[in-house]
Amino acid sequence: SFSHSLHPCEQRFSRQHPLVLCLGGWSFGMADAAWQCPACTLLNPLSAARCAVCSEPSPSAAPAAASGAEATLRLNATAAALAPAPKPAPTPAAPAVGGMGLTEKERRARDDEMAAKRQKKEEEKRRILEQAEADRRDHEYTSAAPAAAAPATAAKAASQAPPPRVVKLQLRCSQWNRSVPFTCFEPESKLGDVRHCLREELIAGEMGTGDGRLAAGGQSRVPEEDAIVLVDRGPPSKRFASPEDYQKTLLELGLCPSALLFVEAAPLA
């Protein structure tokens, strides 16, 4: 007799679905109404996409899934082919060289900017030169101030110092071929006293013979005292001709501490 032991899966499935025993194995009432699981050999209804026991997908569902995947790939490829090509990124324009490619407005703005820069540089240069000139003047003034103050201080000290008590005078009488020195006068002595002593010296020279005797008529060649004029050739040059000059002191006339005076006194015929 024919005997067949059922697989446990077949036993569980047979309780859910009535089977018909056929020669050569189990099958549904309709031979083409089931598919056999390739993993566990369980017969599953054609409507089942997966095995009821091991969840293995139906062999007829795999080509369909593959066909769906292929269709999806074809749709994606078609969409990619029909999609518009992306626009390339704009290339930044190269800067203009030497003003080429600039509009008239841009060229004018560039020229104005360059002119403003040149003017700023010129103003900065002029300011530096002016500052340097001011510094130079300040330095010269600072250096010259002590040098100028020294003579002024010396002159002030000399003016404040007491005059010497002896005045040295040298009187040149070119018309008499004589030079008469005097060291007997003081700053308070008057110029008239000097002229008086000079006339006495001229008279003594004319009347002297060299041996202590007086020559006759010697006094007649010496002019009167008022006719004798004394001159200080300075600088500054001063000619003492008025009577008021001979009433002034040697200190008032600036003849201290020494002076050289020229005598204008022509001998009388």
Side-chain angles (χ1 to χ4, degrees):
S1 64
F2 176 79
S3 63
H4 176 72
S5 59
L6 297 178
H7 190 274
C9 294
E10 294 176 338
Q11 294 176 4
R12 184 171 57 256
F13 186 77
S14 62
R15 289 193 295 270
Q16 299 175 0
H17 305 280
L19 300 177
V20 178
L21 182 60
C22 298
L23 183 63
W26 296 87
S27 65
F28 287 99
M30 295 178 63
D32 55 351
W35 60 272
Q36 187 176 13
C37 176
C40 63
T41 68
L42 178 66
L43 295 176
N44 298 279
L46 289 178
S47 60
R50 292 182 176 275
C51 176
V53 176
C54 64
S55 300
E56 181 73 14
S58 172
S60 60
S67 300
E70 292 178 359
T72 302
L73 291 177
R74 285 196 297 272
L75 289 175
N76 292 338
T78 303
L82 296 178
K87 296 182 179 180
T91 304
V97 180
M100 297 181 61
L102 297 179
T103 63
E104 183 65 25
K105 183 177 181 181
E106 293 174 342
R107 188 179 296 107
R108 189 180 301 107
R110 185 198 61 180
D111 295 341
D112 293 343
E113 182 180 0
M114 294 178 64
K117 289 182 178 180
R118 286 195 298 269
Q119 183 178 1
K120 185 176 181 181
K121 289 183 179 179
E122 290 296 331
E123 292 177 354
E124 183 68 16
K125 181 179 179 181
R126 182 166 57 255
R127 187 187 65 80
I128 293 175
L129 292 177
E130 291 176 355
Q131 184 64 35
E133 181 64 19
D135 293 343
R136 184 186 64 81
R137 288 197 299 268
D138 293 343
H139 178 70
E140 291 180 353
Y141 176 78
T142 305
S143 302
T153 305
K156 183 178 181 180
S159 63
Q160 294 177 353
R165 301 314 304 167
V166 177
V167 180
K168 298 179 181 180
L169 298 177
Q170 183 78 17
L171 282 75
R172 289 185 181 180
C173 307
S174 58
Q175 295 167 322
W176 297 83
N177 295 323
R178 292 190 61 183
S179 180
V180 182
F182 289 114
T183 58
C184 59
F185 296 103
E186 295 181 355
E188 292 80 10
S189 301
K190 295 181 179 182
L191 185 59
D193 298 336
V194 178
R195 184 171 63 175
H196 177 74
C197 291
L198 173 64
R199 187 172 185 274
E200 293 294 329
E201 284 291 330
L202 293 178
I203 293 174
E206 283 294 306
M207 296 181 65
T209 59
D211 56 359
R213 294 180 294 109
L214 295 177
Q219 185 176 358
S220 62
R221 297 184 70 245
V222 179
E224 294 296 329
E225 188 173 327
D226 294 340
I228 299 175
V229 177
L230 303 180
V231 179
D232 180 12
R233 295 185 179 178
S237 179
K238 292 176 287 184
R239 189 171 185 272
F240 307 108
S242 64
E244 291 79 7
D245 292 336
Y246 293 93
Q247 296 300 319
K248 296 179 180 180
T249 64
L250 301 179
L251 181 61
E252 292 174 343
L253 297 173
L255 301 178
C256 298
S258 62
L260 173 62
L261 300 176
F262 292 84
V263 179
E264 296 179 359
L268 299 176

